[in-house]
Amino acid sequence: MEGIRFFSYTPGKSLLHKIPPSIKVVLMPLLSVLAFVLPAALSLIFLVFCLLFSVIILKFSRKDIISTLKPLIAYFFILEIISIVLNLISEKNTFTLTFYFFLKLLRPSSDFLKLFLHISLSLEISSLFYRTTSITEFNEGFSSVEQFFTRKTATPFADMLSLTITFIPRLALFWQKINYAWKARNGKNSIRKIFILTPILFRVGMHEAWQKALSRENRK
């Protein structure tokens, strides 16, 4: 989607692409949650398997793989820093605080590494399903599941989920365009940039959501 790779659909004819949408929308949350109860060693094995599956079977490009790994690296540092800060809130000695902070940053605890592996595997599983399922297929899958349980033709819950899923890559696209416009005007990466661009992103996102809702109503 115009340069947006993370959590965006990639056409293909793999086995994962051919799985019925209704089964996909059930498997995706189940497997993502299951990733948090696996032992750390199994989580690492399945994470490597998912990455190899993306390269060998799905034929994803290097940029596609990097776009998946970038958020994982960001999560790693954010979670590690938060974990360290929370453990050092009561520390009064500035020198000890600084030394311990960098020591923990370079040598994360085993519990933290386990949590990171679980989060990484869960995100990679979700990414695989997102990349092999189009928005139309997601909508079809959600509708089938809702109709199975409610026995009704109308699928308001499925419609809401479809709009939400559509919104994830669209928001990334909007932010990319706004960021390009900011840089074109010699804007710099700073806190001021966040304060200025975030309201614009919110306004554009709300307008997009309203347009999507109207389009869906007109098609009924």
Side-chain angles (χ1 to χ4, degrees), residues 20-200:
S22 56
I23 296 179
K24 284 186 179 182
V25 299
V26 173
L27 283 179
M28 185 171 69
L30 286 179
L31 293 178
S32 297
V33 172
L34 181 63
F36 285 90
V37 298
L38 291 175
L42 276 179
S43 295
L44 179 59
I45 291 172
F46 280 117
L47 179 60
V48 173
F49 172 79
C50 288
L51 292 173
L52 291 176
F53 184 82
S54 299
V55 175
I56 299 173
I57 305 300
L58 300 179
K59 306 296 183 181
F60 289 162
S61 67
R62 183 176 62 181
K63 289 184 178 180
D64 290 328
I65 302 301
I66 292 175
S67 71
T68 302
L69 295 178
K70 279 183 178 179
L72 298 182
I73 296 172
Y75 271 120
F76 176 85
F77 285 104
I78 291 172
L79 289 175
E80 176 68 350
I81 290 172
I82 291 175
S83 173
I84 295 170
V85 171
L86 289 177
N87 289 330
L88 297 176
I89 286 178
S90 60
E91 180 61 55
K92 303 298 183 180
N93 189 303
T94 304
F95 175 79
T96 303
L97 175 65
T98 305
F99 175 77
Y100 185 72
F101 179 86
F102 284 104
L103 180 64
K104 292 291 291 181
L105 189 61
L106 293 174
R107 298 181 60 184
S109 65
S110 58
D111 290 337
F112 171 78
L113 290 176
K114 290 178 183 178
L115 175 61
F116 176 70
L117 279 174
H118 292 155
I119 293 175
S120 300
L121 179 57
S122 181
L123 282 175
E124 185 61 30
I125 290 172
S126 299
S127 177
L128 284 176
F129 279 102
Y130 264 90
R131 290 186 180 277
T132 56
T133 311
S134 67
I135 297 301
T136 302
E137 290 174 329
F138 267 123
N139 188 28
E140 178 186 338
F142 288 135
S143 298
S144 299
V145 172
E146 184 173 358
Q147 288 172 349
F148 175 80
F149 285 104
T150 64
R151 302 299 179 181
K152 297 180 180 179
T153 304
T155 55
F157 184 67
D159 293 343
M160 181 185 66
L161 285 177
S162 297
L163 285 173
T164 303
I165 286 178
T166 305
F167 223 54
I168 294 175
R170 294 294 294 175
L171 280 178
L173 176 62
F174 294 151
W175 178 258
Q176 184 186 71
K177 289 183 176 180
I178 294 171
N179 191 43
Y180 284 160
W182 174 263
K183 291 180 178 179
R185 291 171 173 79
N186 296 321
K188 298 180 179 180
N189 292 326
S190 62
I191 296 179
R192 178 172 174 267
K193 168 187 171 181
I194 297 175
F195 278 107
I196 293 176
L197 299 189
T198 300
I200 299 175

